[in-house]
Amino acid sequence: MAAELFPTKKLVPSASASSTSSSSSSSSIQQHQQQNLTNNNTSSAAQRCCNWQGLFPTIRERNSVMFNNEMMADVHFVVGPPGGTQRVPGHKYVLAVGSSVFHAMFYGELAEDQEEIRIPDVEPPSFLAMLKYIYCDEIDLCADTVLATLYAAKKYIVPHLARACVNFLETSLSAKNACVLLSQSCLFEEPDLTQRCWEVIDAQAELALRAEGFCDIDSQTLESILRRETLNAKEMVVFEAALNWAEAECQRRDLAPTIENRRLVLGKAIYLIRVPTMVLEDFADGAAQSGVLTLNETNDIFLWYTAANKPELLFCTKPRQGLAPQRCHRFQSCAYRSNQWRYRGRCDSIQFAVDKRVFIAGFGLYGSSCGSAEYSAKIELKRQGVSMAQRVIKYFSDGSSSTFPVSFDYPVQIEPDTFYTASAVLDGNELSYFGQEGITEVQCGKVTFQFQCSSDSTNGTGVQGGQIPELIFYA
């Protein structure tokens, strides 16, 4: 991701001259930046030229030539941990203009006249990314280094670069990395990113807890997740995730991953797992036989399930609230007729887009208009023709015009301003209710849904009428 933050205004003597100058200058500047990223060579053609400054029409472009360049360098940084350092040249004036920390370091009251400065806590690629922003007004981020770049931007107080890093992290946020980013967002004191992480973790809790990155979080983040009232997860999944984290923590502490050591590293955090709220079968087949609970704890929890006089427990006995699903209903009325709505393996489909990130849990579907009946439904969610989730599920309709929920295995993350395709292929009673008087734009709380017809629909469903009357979502 590269973005020019401050577009340069150029003096244009003529159209042809402008085109030639702009093309040549842009090509040259990109060539020098790429060269300077890989080494600080001073022997490029531009620099050998006695008037290399004349090759570049703007101060921004001339500054860019000096990025990671030994020419006129008056300070050097030895960046990276021992054994992985890189020597980077710098120019005090340029650095001081771009960072108040560098200004204090070079021109402040306590400034020290050091020709070489060691920075062991910043990775070289991230330090160069920060310098590229300071010298070139360009932001170049990638998933592998963005967190380290954010650290560098925070350390040297480069707020616009830090904001760009946070935006990059927000757009790449998913259940796979949400727990790790939660930990980092708290460390970097980025409340907006923290809130976005919690939204993903709450809605896709089981995916987030089973992600590899969950085992990499610190103990404080672990406890905050285990305390979370709105986690949308079975308690057995929470228990298994905590044990997986404990095994990884044993390795970090150079301990054998025995049952006793897992319990040791979990400490009091184990009591944040709401073991008594598990389904009895999950507890008996899982937690009770894990060995992590003491014999007294196991006996007391069994008594909690079965006895009238329940023992006191250190574990919380109140189930988590989870998230309340919301429903976007796109029809103003429904109807049934003697020749509609028939299925026979044909697809009902509709496209939709949202203006804020949501998580689609499933659809609401119409049922039989001829009394109670059971349907088999293959539901699917696609983005640009690529399937994101699908499931074959049965549901029972009672003959009313109500909608009946069908859910995916896990909620699916939906990004704003992109059209997705919701589809259902039903098998069951030939006649069912169908929606009519469809609405193109529906406001549901703080989320706006837009609907348009889908080319996948072969059974008549569209914006104005048909099946899939509801989208069930978390926001």
Side-chain angles (χ1 to χ4, degrees):
M1 176 177 121
E4 184 175 316
L5 296 188
F6 307 108
T8 305
K9 293 182 180 179
K10 300 182 180 180
L11 296 177
V12 184
S14 68
S16 60
S18 172
S19 175
T20 304
S21 173
S22 174
S23 175
S24 174
S25 175
S26 176
S27 176
S28 297
I29 201 70
Q30 289 176 5
Q31 179 182 357
H32 292 303
Q33 287 176 13
Q34 183 59 40
Q35 181 183 41
N36 291 350
L37 272 173
T38 55
N39 64 74
N40 40 34
N41 192 349
T42 63
S43 61
S44 69
Q47 295 158 14
R48 289 199 306 269
C49 175
C50 60
N51 184 27
W52 64 266
Q53 295 89 340
L55 298 176
F56 306 104
T58 68
I59 184 64
R60 173 189 170 277
E61 291 172 329
R62 292 191 290 275
N63 258 2
S64 296
V65 174
M66 308 309 294
F67 164 57
N68 197 20
N69 195 324
E70 287 286 355
M71 185 170 59
M72 294 187 285
D74 53 1
V75 66
H76 288 81
F77 302 93
V78 179
V79 186
T85 60
Q86 181 175 340
R87 197 168 188 266
V88 179
H91 307 80
K92 292 181 179 180
Y93 168 75
V94 178
L95 295 170
V97 169
S99 160
S100 60
V101 174
F102 284 130
H103 182 274
M105 185 184 298
F106 301 136
Y107 302 107
E109 294 181 359
L110 301 178
E112 297 181 10
D113 190 17
Q114 293 177 283
E115 292 187 1
E116 190 171 271
I117 299 171
R118 295 190 176 276
I119 308 176
D121 58 331
V122 177
E123 295 293 333
S126 299
F127 190 77
L128 286 170
M130 181 181 69
L131 260 56
K132 185 174 183 180
Y133 168 74
I134 292 174
Y135 278 78
C136 312
D137 277 342
E138 291 184 11
I139 295 177
D140 195 357
L141 301 174
C142 66
D144 292 336
T145 61
V146 63
L147 280 172
T149 304
L150 176 58
Y151 174 78
K154 287 279 189 176
K155 177 176 180 176
Y156 291 98
I157 312 180
V158 187
H160 297 293
L161 177 60
R163 184 68 253 169
C165 291
V166 171
N167 290 340
F168 183 94
L169 291 170
E170 287 183 357
T171 57
S172 61
L173 182 60
S174 70
K176 292 181 179 180
N177 60 16
C179 293
V180 172
L181 292 184
L182 174 68
S183 177
Q184 297 297 321
S185 68
C186 295
L187 175 66
F188 294 133
E189 297 181 345
E190 289 289 343
D192 290 343
L193 179 58
T194 299
Q195 178 59 31
R196 299 289 88 76
C197 290
W198 278 126
E199 290 172 1
V200 174
I201 293 170
D202 282 342
Q204 296 181 300
E206 295 195 358
L207 289 175
L209 294 173
R210 286 173 170 151
E212 290 183 10
F214 178 81
C215 295
D216 297 329
I217 62 178
D218 59 274
S219 58
Q220 187 175 354
T221 304
L222 172 72
E223 291 183 10
S224 67
I225 293 174
L226 296 183
R227 284 193 186 94
R228 192 75 175 172
E229 187 69 32
T230 46
L231 283 185
N232 243 13
K234 296 177 182 177
E235 206 63 30
M236 190 62 205
V237 175
V238 179
F239 182 82
E240 291 171 347
L243 292 190
N244 291 336
W245 178 89
E247 181 177 354
E249 182 68 8
C250 285
Q251 295 175 355
R252 286 189 285 269
R253 298 189 190 183
D254 292 327
L255 297 172
T258 62
I259 291 174
E260 293 77 15
N261 284 339
R262 289 191 196 185
R263 177 66 186 251
L264 174 67
V265 299
L266 279 171
K268 293 183 179 180
I270 195 168
Y271 296 115
L272 300 175
I273 306 171
R274 307 187 184 191
V275 178
T277 68
M278 292 180 186
V279 177
L280 178 56
E281 184 179 354
D282 285 348
F283 174 72
D285 294 338
Q289 298 186 46
S290 67
V292 175
L293 304 178
T294 66
L295 184 59
N296 285 339
E297 287 169 344
T298 302
N299 289 338
D300 285 347
I301 294 172
F302 268 122
L303 288 175
W304 173 266
Y305 281 110
T306 58
N309 186 18
K310 300 183 183 298
E312 291 187 6
L313 300 175
L314 292 175
F315 297 91
C316 181
T317 59
K318 180 184 177 183
R320 300 180 197 270
Q321 291 181 1
L323 287 179
Q326 302 181 52
R327 297 188 177 220
C328 174
H329 196 91
R330 66 187 191 91
F331 295 127
Q332 298 182 72
S333 64
C334 67
Y336 67 92
R337 301 187 186 122
S338 60
N339 62 342
Q340 295 182 358
W341 196 263
R342 297 182 181 277
Y343 297 105
R344 298 180 184 176
R346 292 189 291 265
C347 180
D348 288 288
S349 183
I350 191 72
Q351 288 194 330
F352 70 94
V354 292
D355 64 343
K356 291 180 176 63
R357 175 183 286 161
V358 299
F359 303 87
I360 296 294
F363 310 146
L365 301 178
Y366 287 122
S368 171
S369 59
C370 304
S372 59
E374 185 180 67
Y375 285 88
S376 174
K378 178 185 177 182
I379 58 174
E380 186 172 21
L381 198 58
K382 293 192 291 187
R383 177 180 180 176
Q384 297 177 345
V386 178
S387 180
M388 302 180 67
Q390 60 178 299
R391 188 184 183 192
V392 176
I393 187 173
K394 291 184 178 181
Y395 71 96
F396 181 82
S397 68
D398 59 9
S400 71
S401 60
S402 302
T403 59
F404 301 93
V406 290
S407 302
F408 294 108
D409 292 321
Y410 303 103
V412 183
Q413 183 170 311
I414 301 298
E415 297 298 335
D417 306 321
T418 300
F419 273 96
Y420 294 78
T421 304
S423 301
V425 178
L426 272 64
D427 183 20
N429 195 313
E430 283 291 286
L431 299 177
S432 77
Y433 289 92
F434 61 92
Q436 55 187 14
E437 298 181 280
I439 308 172
T440 302
E441 184 172 295
V442 181
Q443 186 76 29
C444 294
K446 296 181 179 181
V447 183
T448 301
F449 285 79
Q450 288 185 325
F451 294 95
Q452 68 181 26
C453 293
S454 167
S455 59
D456 291 351
S457 189
T458 58
N459 200 42
T461 288
V463 173
Q464 296 302 317
Q467 260 285 8
I468 318 181
E470 287 181 338
L471 299 178
I472 304 171
F473 69 99
Y474 301 110

